[in-house]
Amino acid sequence: MRTGTSPYVRAALRRLRLQAAVARAEQGAMLDAGVLASLSGQLAEARGAEAEARAAGGGRLPIDQLAERLALRPLDEDVLLATVALEVDPLFAITASALAGEEPRHGLSARHLAQVFAFAGDETLALGLGGSHPLVQAGLLEPAPSSSAMAETLRPWRAAPRAVSFLDGRDSIDPLLDRCGGVVEVPD
């Protein structure tokens, strides 16, 4: 994302980066309690800053529009934001790679998301990532091209370029449409 990224998106990306760092710290065999406490404190502050930025948007932020139009749950919003973070935040991508023990170059799977969001039980069932998920139906999440033979629970997902630009508040032409020649205007 550009440096003009909205305050809410910056705050959400920071929160996700810290969430992934806490998950990675908790995963480590040689866990330093001081480091984990520091990261957890920073995460709490980041959550507060994100809530303030969201409230300051007064329900007019792009994420609010998507949530209303697609009837998104907070978990769905987090999934979308995490896939956007993979696209635009190198530190989040590196931390997500360390979490799963593999490079998530194809996208984030339910495994990655469960680790980042620290799911402990049936929360993974609530994800419901698949062809019928509202983010997939709206074309905001795309499955990795090489994942068609995978079970939906293993399939990695990426944010569509238009989802990234929309959440950033950019009102430019979709990159796919731009490659086709742009918007066709019908004469009067």
Side-chain angles (χ1 to χ4, degrees), residues 121-136:
D122 291 341
E123 297 100 332
T124 54
L125 296 174
L127 273 176
L129 279 177
S132 62
H133 193 279
L135 292 170
V136 176

Side-chain angles (χ1 to χ4, degrees), residues 1 24 29 52 76-77 135 139 153 160 183:
M1 290 193 174
R24 178 67 181 122
E52 286 176 19
D76 299 328
E77 293 176 18
L135 292 170
T153 55
V183 176

Side-chain angles (χ1 to χ4, degrees), residues 7-8 48-61 64:
Y8 170 72
E50 179 183 10
E52 286 176 19
R54 181 100 183 234
R60 296 180 314 273
L61 296 171
D64 295 322

